[in-house]
Structures are given as structure tokens and as C-alpha cells.
Amino acid sequence: MAKYFDVHPENPQPRSIAQIADAVRSEALIAYPTDSCYALGCRLGSRDGMDRIRSIRRLDDRHHFTLMCRDFAQLGQFVHVDKDVFRAVKASTPGSYTFILPATREVPRKLLHPKKKTVGVRIPDHVVAQTLLAELGEPLLSSTLLLPDEEEPLTQGWEIKDRLDHVVDAVVDSGDCGTEPTTVVDFSSGEAEIVRRGAGDTSRFE
């Protein structure tokens, strides 16, 4: 049964955030809010967590997982960013964008796209997600909480708890955070390629 955390959206309770971070460090799989819908998240090196996300969402090995990062400095530890790409990404973070970039050696091989050796990264503009990332001190391995055969992600914490009670370890509820996923921009070739149009404005990449 998943533990339920009712977290204030603007002033997250430090005790709750600390408990959630401790759970993640102990291999928990959590459902948590971001600035563009809820996400599933686990510790970066958690093989079990990644396998569980794949199972819940029925993903194949070509799926790009996302490293949810606290800030640009942390993001730069996990992906290679050249000067031109740096400016474009920096100007768009924090925000509702996921960027696909060549991974550094800090990223476990199992997370990489099998052919491209890339990974998705993003910096959320959401108080609860940012507070959790600060407490955790490392990225969260994440994927949009979009269930198989459903067109929109789950948006209500109580519904997530009800439907995923036996497949996640904790649900972090801070209210509705929308149904539109991030805009995904692939910079792995050095040029911007819009892979998915979502919550983030695409005009700056066109």
C-alpha cells in the first residue's frame, strides 16, 4: 500500500519532504507533481525503480527516461552541452521542457537510449518538485505518469493513490498540476528537433 503525503503546493512541509527523500534513497518508487502533470520517480541508480516504471507504463528499451534536475549546474553533470545548445537550454529553464542530449559517464548505461547514448533532462518550475530535489541532492529518474491506453496523465493525487496503490510506494499530492506533458526537444545532433509539442512554447526552437 502506497504512503500518501499531502504536501502544501507553495510551502511544502519540511518533515514530509524529508520523509519522501528518505523513501527515494531507500529504493521507493513515487508519484509526484511537476509543472507539467504528475510523474513517476525513483533514485537515479535504482534498477528496480526503472523496471517498475517500465512495467507500469509498458515501455520498451527505446523510451527516453528523464533526469529531473534541481538546476542547470546539476544538469551539466549528466549531459554534454555545447555553447549554442547551452544558451537555448539555459533560456528555457526552469520550465516545461525536456531536452534530449548526449549523456556523460555519470549516467548509468541502462538509462541510455540503446543507439544514440542520449538521455532526457529537465528542470521543473514547481515548488514541491524543486524542494524535493534540493532535499534529495541528486536527480530523480522520472517518466510522465501516463498509463497504457490512456490519452491523458492522471492529475489527482487521490486517484493516483487509488489506482496505483499496489505498484508505487508513495504518492505526493499537492493539488492538480495539469494534464499537458512537457515539450520535448532533441539536441543530440546539435540542432533543435521538436519531438513532442507540449506545455512549453516551441517558437524559440523553430
Side-chain angles (χ1 to χ4, degrees):
M1 183 177 292
K3 190 163 185 179
Y4 182 79
F5 293 91
D6 187 4
V7 178
H8 194 281
E10 296 176 4
N11 298 291
Q13 304 90 318
R15 185 167 178 268
S16 294
I17 295 296
Q19 289 177 334
I20 298 162
D22 284 343
V24 172
R25 295 187 191 104
S26 299
E27 302 292 307
L29 175 62
I30 67 171
Y32 72 102
T34 79
D35 51 334
S36 59
C37 66
Y38 274 81
L40 295 167
C42 66
R43 189 175 62 82
L44 175 59
S46 176
R47 181 185 293 266
D48 176 66
M50 185 171 62
D51 288 343
R52 288 165 70 189
I53 292 173
R54 286 191 193 279
S55 176
I56 291 168
R57 292 203 54 203
R58 297 181 195 163
L59 302 171
D60 60 27
D61 63 359
R62 293 170 295 175
H63 176 74
H64 267 111
F65 281 96
T66 297
L67 301 184
M68 195 74 72
C69 298
R70 179 187 179 189
D71 53 27
F72 202 84
Q74 189 178 73
L75 180 149
Q77 297 175 31
F78 296 93
V79 289
H80 296 289
V81 188
D82 67 25
K83 289 181 181 179
D84 291 336
V85 173
F86 176 93
R87 284 192 289 269
V89 173
K90 190 82 162 78
S92 306
T93 54
S96 300
Y97 297 92
T98 299
F99 299 101
I100 297 173
L101 290 159
T104 68
R105 292 183 180 180
E106 297 294 319
V107 180
R109 184 177 298 177
K110 192 173 173 65
L111 295 186
L112 303 181
H113 185 283
K115 292 183 178 179
K116 294 183 177 181
K117 308 304 180 189
T118 51
V119 70
V121 287
R122 93 176 192 88
I123 302 171
D125 188 12
H126 190 281
V127 172
V128 174
Q130 278 286 348
T131 306
L132 176 57
L133 289 166
E135 177 71 24
L136 192 60
E138 62 181 51
L140 268 170
L141 170 63
S142 297
S143 184
T144 302
L145 209 175
L146 180 62
L147 298 180
D149 304 321
E150 297 195 10
E151 294 184 2
E152 291 191 342
L154 299 178
T155 62
Q156 302 291 336
W158 63 266
E159 183 184 14
I160 294 169
K161 173 79 163 69
D162 185 55
R163 295 186 61 182
L164 301 182
D165 202 25
H166 298 292
V167 292
V168 301
D169 301 303
V171 175
V172 184
D173 188 354
S174 64
D176 194 328
C177 55
T179 61
E180 193 169 20
T182 57
T183 289
V184 179
V185 184
D186 188 342
F187 271 114
S188 59
S189 68
E191 300 289 331
E193 177 189 349
I194 299 169
V195 177
R196 180 180 70 196
R197 296 176 187 274
D201 180 16
T202 60
S203 61
R204 67 185 66 189
F205 303 109
E206 294 176 307

